[in-house]
Coordinates of all heavy atoms in Angstrom, one line a residue:
K56 N 10.4 133.2 247.6 CA 10.0 134.3 246.7 C 9.8 135.6 247.4 O 10.2 136.7 247.0 CB 8.7 133.9 245.9 CG 8.9 132.8 244.9 CD 9.8 133.3 243.8 CE 11.0 132.4 243.6 NZ 12.1 132.9 242.9
I57 N 9.2 135.6 248.6 CA 9.0 136.8 249.4 C 10.3 137.4 249.8 O 10.5 138.6 249.7 CB 8.1 136.5 250.7 CG1 6.7 136.2 250.3 CG2 8.2 137.7 251.6 CD1 5.8 135.6 251.4
K58 N 11.3 136.5 250.2 CA 12.6 137.0 250.5 C 13.3 137.7 249.4 O 13.9 138.7 249.5 CB 13.5 135.8 251.0 CG 14.9 136.2 251.4 CD 15.7 135.0 251.7 CE 17.1 135.4 252.1 NZ 18.0 135.8 251.0
Q59 N 13.1 137.1 248.2 CA 13.7 137.7 247.0 C 13.1 139.0 246.6 O 13.7 139.9 246.1 CB 13.7 136.7 245.8 CG 14.6 135.5 246.0 CD 14.4 134.5 244.9 OE1 13.5 134.7 244.0 NE2 15.1 133.4 244.9
L60 N 11.7 139.1 246.8 CA 11.0 140.3 246.3 C 11.1 141.5 247.2 O 11.1 142.6 246.8 CB 9.5 139.9 246.1 CG 9.2 139.0 244.9 CD1 7.8 138.6 244.9 CD2 9.7 139.6 243.6
L61 N 11.2 141.2 248.5 CA 11.2 142.4 249.5 C 12.7 142.8 249.8 O 13.6 141.9 249.8 CB 10.5 142.0 250.8 CG 9.0 141.7 250.6 CD1 8.4 141.3 251.9 CD2 8.3 142.9 250.1
P62 N 12.9 144.0 249.9 CA 14.3 144.5 250.1 C 14.8 144.3 251.6 O 16.0 144.5 251.8 CB 14.2 146.0 249.9 CG 12.7 146.4 250.2 CD 11.9 145.1 249.9
W63 N 14.0 143.8 252.5 CA 14.4 143.7 253.8 C 15.4 142.5 254.0 O 15.2 141.5 253.2 CB 13.2 143.5 254.8 CG 12.3 144.6 254.7 CD1 12.5 146.0 254.6 CD2 10.9 144.5 254.6 NE1 11.4 146.7 254.5 CE2 10.3 145.8 254.5 CE3 10.0 143.4 254.6 CZ2 9.0 146.1 254.4 CZ3 8.6 143.7 254.5 CH2 8.1 145.0 254.4
K64 N 16.2 142.5 254.9 CA 17.2 141.4 255.1 C 16.6 140.4 256.1 O 17.2 140.1 257.2 CB 18.5 142.0 255.7 CG 19.2 142.9 254.7 CD 19.8 142.2 253.5 CE 20.5 143.1 252.7 NZ 20.8 142.6 251.4
I65 N 15.5 139.8 255.8 CA 14.8 138.8 256.7 C 15.0 137.5 256.0 O 14.7 137.3 254.8 CB 13.3 139.2 256.9 CG1 13.2 140.5 257.6 CG2 12.7 138.1 257.7 CD1 11.8 141.0 257.7
P66 N 15.6 136.5 256.7 CA 15.8 135.2 256.1 C 14.5 134.5 255.7 O 13.4 134.7 256.2 CB 16.5 134.4 257.2 CG 16.4 135.2 258.4 CD 16.0 136.5 258.1
A67 N 14.6 133.6 254.7 CA 13.5 132.8 254.2 C 12.8 132.0 255.3 O 11.5 131.9 255.3 CB 13.9 132.0 253.0
F68 N 13.5 131.4 256.2 CA 12.9 130.6 257.2 C 12.0 131.4 258.1 O 11.0 131.0 258.6 CB 13.9 129.8 258.1 CG 14.6 130.6 259.1 CD1 14.1 130.8 260.4 CD2 15.9 131.1 258.8 CE1 14.8 131.5 261.3 CE2 16.6 131.8 259.7 CZ 16.0 132.1 261.0
A69 N 12.3 132.7 258.3 CA 11.4 133.6 259.1 C 10.1 133.9 258.3 O 9.0 133.9 258.9 CB 12.1 134.9 259.4
W70 N 10.2 134.1 257.0 CA 9.0 134.2 256.2 C 8.2 132.9 256.2 O 7.0 133.0 256.2 CB 9.4 134.6 254.8 CG 9.9 136.0 254.7 CD1 11.2 136.4 254.3 CD2 9.2 137.2 255.0 NE1 11.3 137.8 254.3 CE2 10.1 138.3 254.7 CE3 7.9 137.5 255.4 CZ2 9.7 139.6 254.9 CZ3 7.5 138.8 255.6 CH2 8.4 139.9 255.3
A71 N 8.8 131.8 256.2 CA 8.1 130.5 256.2 C 7.4 130.4 257.6 O 6.2 129.9 257.6 CB 9.1 129.4 256.0
S72 N 8.0 130.8 258.6 CA 7.4 130.8 259.9 C 6.2 131.7 260.0 O 5.1 131.3 260.5 CB 8.4 131.2 261.0 OG 9.5 130.3 261.1
I73 N 6.3 132.9 259.4 CA 5.2 133.8 259.4 C 4.0 133.3 258.6 O 2.9 133.3 259.0 CB 5.7 135.2 258.9 CG1 6.6 135.8 259.9 CG2 4.5 136.1 258.7 CD1 7.4 137.0 259.4
L74 N 4.4 132.8 257.4 CA 3.3 132.2 256.5 C 2.6 131.0 257.2 O 1.4 130.9 257.2 CB 3.9 131.7 255.2 CG 4.2 132.8 254.2 CD1 4.9 132.2 253.0 CD2 3.0 133.5 253.8
G75 N 3.4 130.1 257.8 CA 2.8 129.0 258.5 C 1.9 129.4 259.7 O 0.9 128.9 259.9
L76 N 2.4 130.4 260.4 CA 1.6 131.0 261.5 C 0.3 131.6 261.0 O -0.8 131.3 261.6 CB 2.4 132.0 262.3 CG 1.7 132.7 263.4 CD1 1.5 131.7 264.6 CD2 2.4 133.9 263.9
L77 N 0.3 132.3 259.9 CA -0.9 133.0 259.4 C -1.9 132.0 258.9 O -3.1 132.2 259.1 CB -0.5 134.0 258.3 CG 0.2 135.2 258.7 CD1 0.6 136.1 257.6 CD2 -0.6 136.0 259.7
I78 N -1.4 130.9 258.2 CA -2.4 130.0 257.6 C -2.9 128.9 258.6 O -3.8 128.2 258.4 CB -1.9 129.3 256.4 CG1 -0.7 128.4 256.7 CG2 -1.6 130.2 255.3 CD1 -0.3 127.5 255.5
T79 N -2.3 128.9 259.8 CA -2.8 128.0 260.8 C -3.4 128.6 262.1 O -3.7 128.0 263.0 CB -1.6 127.0 261.3 OG1 -0.6 127.9 261.8 CG2 -1.1 126.2 260.2
T80 N -3.6 130.0 262.0 CA -4.3 130.6 263.1 C -5.8 130.3 263.0 O -6.3 129.9 262.0 CB -4.1 132.2 263.0 OG1 -4.5 132.6 261.7 CG2 -2.7 132.6 263.2
P81 N -6.5 130.4 264.2 CA -7.9 130.0 264.2 C -8.8 130.8 263.2 O -9.8 130.2 262.8 CB -8.3 130.3 265.6 CG -7.0 130.2 266.4 CD -5.9 130.7 265.5
W82 N -8.4 132.0 262.8 CA -9.3 132.7 261.9 C -9.0 132.4 260.4 O -9.6 133.0 259.6 CB -9.2 134.2 262.2 CG -7.8 134.8 262.1 CD1 -7.1 135.1 261.0 CD2 -6.9 135.0 263.2 NE1 -5.9 135.6 261.3 CE2 -5.7 135.5 262.7 CE3 -7.0 134.9 264.6 CZ2 -4.6 135.9 263.4 CZ3 -5.9 135.2 265.3 CH2 -4.8 135.7 264.8
S83 N -8.0 131.6 260.2 CA -7.7 131.2 258.8 C -8.7 130.2 258.3 O -9.0 129.2 258.9 CB -6.3 130.6 258.7 OG -6.0 130.1 257.4
P84 N -9.3 130.4 257.1 CA -10.2 129.4 256.6 C -9.6 128.1 256.2 O -10.3 127.1 256.1 CB -10.8 130.1 255.3 CG -9.8 131.1 255.0 CD -9.1 131.5 256.2
V85 N -8.3 128.0 256.0 CA -7.7 126.7 255.6 C -7.0 126.1 256.8 O -6.2 125.1 256.6 CB -6.7 127.0 254.5 CG1 -7.4 127.4 253.2 CG2 -5.6 128.0 254.9
Q86 N -7.1 126.6 258.0 CA -6.4 126.2 259.2 C -6.5 124.7 259.4 O -5.5 124.0 259.5 CB -6.9 126.9 260.4 CG -6.2 126.4 261.7 CD -7.1 126.3 262.9 OE1 -8.4 126.4 262.7 NE2 -6.6 126.1 264.0
Q87 N -7.7 124.2 259.5 CA -7.9 122.8 259.9 C -7.4 121.8 258.8 O -6.8 120.8 259.1 CB -9.4 122.5 260.1 CG -9.6 121.2 260.9 CD -8.8 121.2 262.2 OE1 -8.9 122.1 263.0 NE2 -8.1 120.1 262.5
V88 N -7.6 122.2 257.5 CA -7.1 121.4 256.4 C -5.5 121.3 256.4 O -4.9 120.2 256.3 CB -7.5 121.9 255.1 CG1 -6.9 121.2 253.9 CG2 -9.1 121.9 255.0
V89 N -4.9 122.5 256.6 CA -3.4 122.5 256.6 C -2.9 121.7 257.8 O -2.0 120.9 257.7 CB -2.9 124.0 256.7 CG1 -1.4 124.0 256.9 CG2 -3.3 124.7 255.4
L90 N -3.5 121.9 259.0 CA -3.1 121.2 260.2 C -3.3 119.7 260.0 O -2.4 118.9 260.4 CB -3.8 121.7 261.4 CG -3.3 123.1 261.9 CD1 -4.2 123.5 263.1 CD2 -1.9 123.1 262.2
D91 N -4.4 119.3 259.5 CA -4.6 117.8 259.3 C -3.6 117.2 258.4 O -3.1 116.1 258.7 CB -6.0 117.6 258.7 CG -7.1 117.9 259.7 OD1 -6.9 117.9 260.9 OD2 -8.3 118.1 259.3
F92 N -3.2 117.8 257.3 CA -2.3 117.2 256.4 C -0.8 117.3 256.9 O -0.1 116.4 256.8 CB -2.4 117.8 255.0 CG -3.6 117.4 254.3 CD1 -4.6 118.3 253.9 CD2 -3.8 116.0 253.9 CE1 -5.7 117.8 253.2 CE2 -4.9 115.6 253.3 CZ -5.9 116.5 252.9
T93 N -0.5 118.5 257.5 CA 0.9 118.6 257.9 C 1.2 117.9 259.2 O 2.4 117.6 259.4 CB 1.3 120.1 258.1 OG1 0.4 120.7 259.0 CG2 1.3 120.8 256.7
N94 N 0.2 117.6 260.0 CA 0.4 116.8 261.2 C 0.9 115.3 260.8 O 1.4 114.6 261.7 CB -0.8 116.7 262.1 CG -0.9 118.0 262.9 OD1 0.0 118.7 263.2 ND2 -2.2 118.2 263.4
A95 N 0.6 114.9 259.6 CA 1.0 113.6 259.2 C 2.5 113.5 258.9 O 3.1 112.4 258.8 CB 0.2 113.1 257.9
V96 N 3.2 114.6 258.8 CA 4.7 114.7 258.6 C 5.3 114.8 259.9 O 5.1 115.8 260.6 CB 5.0 115.8 257.6 CG1 6.5 115.8 257.4 CG2 4.3 115.7 256.3
T97 N 6.2 113.8 260.3 CA 6.8 113.9 261.6 C 8.0 114.8 261.7 O 8.7 115.0 260.7 CB 7.3 112.5 262.0 OG1 8.3 112.0 261.1 CG2 6.1 111.5 262.1
T98 N 8.1 115.4 262.8 CA 9.2 116.4 263.0 C 10.6 115.7 263.1 O 11.6 116.3 262.7 CB 9.0 117.3 264.3 OG1 8.9 116.4 265.4 CG2 7.8 118.1 264.2
G99 N 10.6 114.5 263.5 CA 11.9 113.7 263.6 C 12.5 113.6 262.2 O 13.7 113.7 262.0
A100 N 11.7 113.2 261.2 CA 12.2 113.0 259.9 C 12.6 114.4 259.3 O 13.7 114.4 258.6 CB 11.1 112.4 259.0
V101 N 11.9 115.4 259.5 CA 12.2 116.7 259.0 C 13.5 117.2 259.7 O 14.4 117.7 259.0 CB 11.1 117.8 259.3 CG1 11.5 119.2 258.9 CG2 9.8 117.4 258.6
S102 N 13.7 117.0 261.0 CA 14.9 117.4 261.6 C 16.1 116.7 261.1 O 17.2 117.3 261.0 CB 14.8 117.2 263.2 OG 13.7 117.9 263.7
S103 N 16.0 115.4 260.9 CA 17.1 114.6 260.3 C 17.6 115.2 259.0 O 18.8 115.4 258.8 CB 16.7 113.2 260.2 OG 16.3 112.6 261.4
V104 N 16.7 115.5 258.1 CA 17.1 116.0 256.8 C 17.7 117.4 256.9 O 18.7 117.7 256.3 CB 15.9 116.0 255.8 CG1 16.2 116.7 254.5 CG2 15.4 114.5 255.6
I105 N 17.1 118.2 257.8 CA 17.6 119.6 258.0 C 19.0 119.6 258.5 O 19.9 120.3 258.1 CB 16.7 120.4 258.9 CG1 15.4 120.8 258.2 CG2 17.4 121.7 259.4 CD1 14.4 121.4 259.1
L106 N 19.3 118.7 259.5 CA 20.6 118.6 260.0 C 21.6 118.0 259.0 O 22.8 118.5 259.0 CB 20.6 117.7 261.3 CG 19.9 118.3 262.5 CD1 19.8 117.3 263.6 CD2 20.6 119.6 262.9
A107 N 21.2 117.1 258.2 CA 22.1 116.6 257.1 C 22.4 117.7 256.1 O 23.6 117.8 255.7 CB 21.4 115.4 256.4
V108 N 21.4 118.4 255.7 CA 21.7 119.5 254.7 C 22.6 120.6 255.4 O 23.5 121.1 254.7 CB 20.4 120.2 254.3 CG1 20.6 121.4 253.5 CG2 19.6 119.2 253.4
A109 N 22.4 120.9 256.7 CA 23.2 121.9 257.4 C 24.7 121.3 257.4 O 25.6 122.1 257.3 CB 22.7 122.1 258.8
G110 N 24.8 120.0 257.7 CA 26.2 119.5 257.7 C 26.9 119.6 256.4 O 28.1 119.9 256.3
V111 N 26.2 119.3 255.3 CA 26.8 119.4 254.0 C 27.1 120.9 253.7 O 28.2 121.2 253.1 CB 25.8 118.8 252.9 CG1 26.3 119.2 251.5 CG2 25.7 117.3 253.1
S112 N 26.3 121.8 254.1 CA 26.5 123.2 253.9 C 27.8 123.7 254.6 O 28.6 124.4 254.1 CB 25.3 124.0 254.3 OG 25.6 125.4 254.3
I113 N 27.9 123.2 255.8 CA 29.1 123.6 256.6 C 30.3 122.9 256.0 O 31.4 123.5 255.9 CB 29.0 123.1 258.1 CG1 27.9 124.0 258.8 CG2 30.3 123.2 258.8 CD1 27.5 123.6 260.1
G114 N 30.2 121.7 255.5 CA 31.3 121.0 254.9 C 31.9 121.8 253.6 O 33.0 121.7 253.3
T115 N 31.0 122.5 252.9 CA 31.4 123.2 251.7 C 32.1 124.5 252.1 O 32.8 125.1 251.2 CB 30.2 123.5 250.8 OG1 29.3 124.3 251.5 CG2 29.5 122.3 250.3
K116 N 32.0 124.9 253.3 CA 32.7 126.2 253.8 C 33.8 125.9 254.7 O 34.1 126.7 255.6 CB 31.6 127.1 254.4 CG 30.5 127.5 253.5 CD 29.5 128.3 254.3 CE 28.4 128.9 253.5 NZ 28.0 128.6 252.3
L117 N 34.4 124.7 254.6 CA 35.5 124.3 255.5 C 36.7 125.3 255.5 O 37.3 125.5 256.5 CB 36.0 122.9 255.1 CG 36.4 122.0 256.3 CD1 35.4 122.1 257.4 CD2 36.6 120.6 255.8
S118 N 37.0 125.8 254.3 CA 38.1 126.8 254.2 C 37.8 128.0 255.0 O 38.8 128.6 255.7 CB 38.4 127.1 252.8 OG 37.3 127.8 252.2
D119 N 36.6 128.5 255.0 CA 36.2 129.7 255.9 C 36.4 129.3 257.3 O 36.8 130.2 258.1 CB 34.8 130.1 255.6 CG 34.7 130.7 254.2 OD1 35.7 131.1 253.6 OD2 33.5 130.7 253.7
I120 N 36.0 128.1 257.7 CA 36.1 127.7 259.1 C 37.5 127.6 259.6 O 37.9 128.0 260.7 CB 35.3 126.4 259.3 CG1 33.8 126.6 259.1 CG2 35.6 125.8 260.7 CD1 33.0 125.4 259.1
K121 N 38.4 127.1 258.7 CA 39.8 127.0 259.0 C 40.4 128.4 259.3 O 41.3 128.5 260.2 CB 40.6 126.3 257.8 CG 40.3 124.9 257.7 CD 41.1 124.3 256.6 CE 40.8 122.8 256.3 NZ 41.4 122.3 255.1
R122 N 40.0 129.4 258.6 CA 40.5 130.7 258.8 C 40.2 131.3 260.2 O 40.9 132.1 260.8 CB 40.0 131.7 257.8 CG 40.8 131.6 256.5 CD 40.4 132.8 255.5 NE 39.1 132.5 255.0 CZ 38.1 133.4 255.1 NH1 38.3 134.6 255.7 NH2 36.9 133.2 254.5
L123 N 39.1 130.8 260.8 CA 38.7 131.2 262.2 C 39.6 130.7 263.3 O 39.6 131.2 264.4 CB 37.2 130.9 262.4 CG 36.2 131.5 261.5 CD1 34.9 131.0 261.7 CD2 36.2 133.0 261.7
S124 N 40.3 129.6 263.0 CA 41.3 129.0 263.8 C 40.7 128.5 265.2 O 39.5 128.2 265.3 CB 42.5 129.9 264.0 OG 42.3 130.9 264.9
W125 N 41.6 128.5 266.2 CA 41.2 128.0 267.5 C 40.1 128.8 268.2 O 39.5 128.3 269.1 CB 42.5 127.8 268.4 CG 43.1 129.2 268.6 CD1 44.1 129.8 267.8 CD2 42.9 130.1 269.7 NE1 44.4 131.0 268.3 CE2 43.7 131.2 269.5 CE3 42.0 130.1 270.8 CZ2 43.7 132.3 270.3 CZ3 42.0 131.1 271.6 CH2 42.9 132.2 271.4
K126 N 40.0 130.0 267.8 CA 39.0 130.9 268.5 C 37.6 130.3 268.4 O 36.7 130.4 269.2 CB 39.0 132.3 268.0 CG 40.4 133.0 268.2 CD 40.4 134.3 267.4 CE 41.9 134.8 267.4 NZ 42.0 135.8 266.4
M127 N 37.3 129.7 267.2 CA 36.0 129.1 266.9 C 35.7 128.0 267.9 O 34.6 127.8 268.3 CB 36.0 128.6 265.5 CG 34.6 128.2 265.0 SD 33.5 129.6 265.0 CE 32.1 128.8 264.4
I128 N 36.7 127.2 268.3 CA 36.5 126.1 269.2 C 36.1 126.6 270.6 O 35.2 126.1 271.2 CB 37.8 125.3 269.3 CG1 38.1 124.6 268.0 CG2 37.7 124.2 270.4 CD1 39.4 123.9 267.9
I129 N 36.7 127.7 271.0 CA 36.3 128.3 272.3 C 34.9 128.8 272.3 O 34.1 128.6 273.2 CB 37.3 129.4 272.7 CG1 38.7 128.8 273.0 CG2 36.8 130.1 273.9 CD1 39.8 129.7 273.2
V130 N 34.6 129.5 271.2 CA 33.2 130.0 271.1 C 32.2 128.9 271.1 O 31.1 128.9 271.7 CB 33.1 130.9 269.8 CG1 31.6 131.3 269.5 CG2 33.9 132.2 270.0
A131 N 32.5 127.8 270.3 CA 31.6 126.7 270.2 C 31.4 126.0 271.6 O 30.3 125.6 271.9 CB 32.2 125.7 269.2
I132 N 32.5 125.9 272.3 CA 32.3 125.3 273.7 C 31.4 126.1 274.6 O 30.5 125.5 275.2 CB 33.7 125.1 274.3 CG1 34.5 124.0 273.6 CG2 33.6 124.8 275.8 CD1 36.0 123.8 274.0

Side-chain angles (χ1 to χ4, degrees):
K56 290 293 123 198
I57 291 171
K58 179 186 181 284
Q59 290 173 357
L60 293 174
L61 294 179
W63 306 316
K64 299 288 184 195
I65 299 175
F68 76 86
W70 289 115
S72 298
I73 292 168
L74 285 174
L76 179 71
L77 290 175
I78 65 173
T79 57
T80 54
W82 56 82
S83 172
V85 295
Q86 176 220 12
Q87 198 56 50
V88 174
V89 170
L90 288 176
D91 288 342
F92 286 117
T93 56
N94 279 339
V96 181
T97 62
T98 55
V101 174
S102 301
S103 300
V104 173
I105 288 173
L106 290 173
V108 171
V111 169
S112 174
I113 289 172
T115 61
K116 296 178 181 8
L117 215 47
S118 60
D119 294 338
I120 294 172
K121 286 179 185 176
R122 279 190 287 123
L123 296 173
S124 77
W125 60 271
K126 298 171 194 165
M127 186 66 177
I128 295 171
I129 294 174
V130 170
I132 289 171

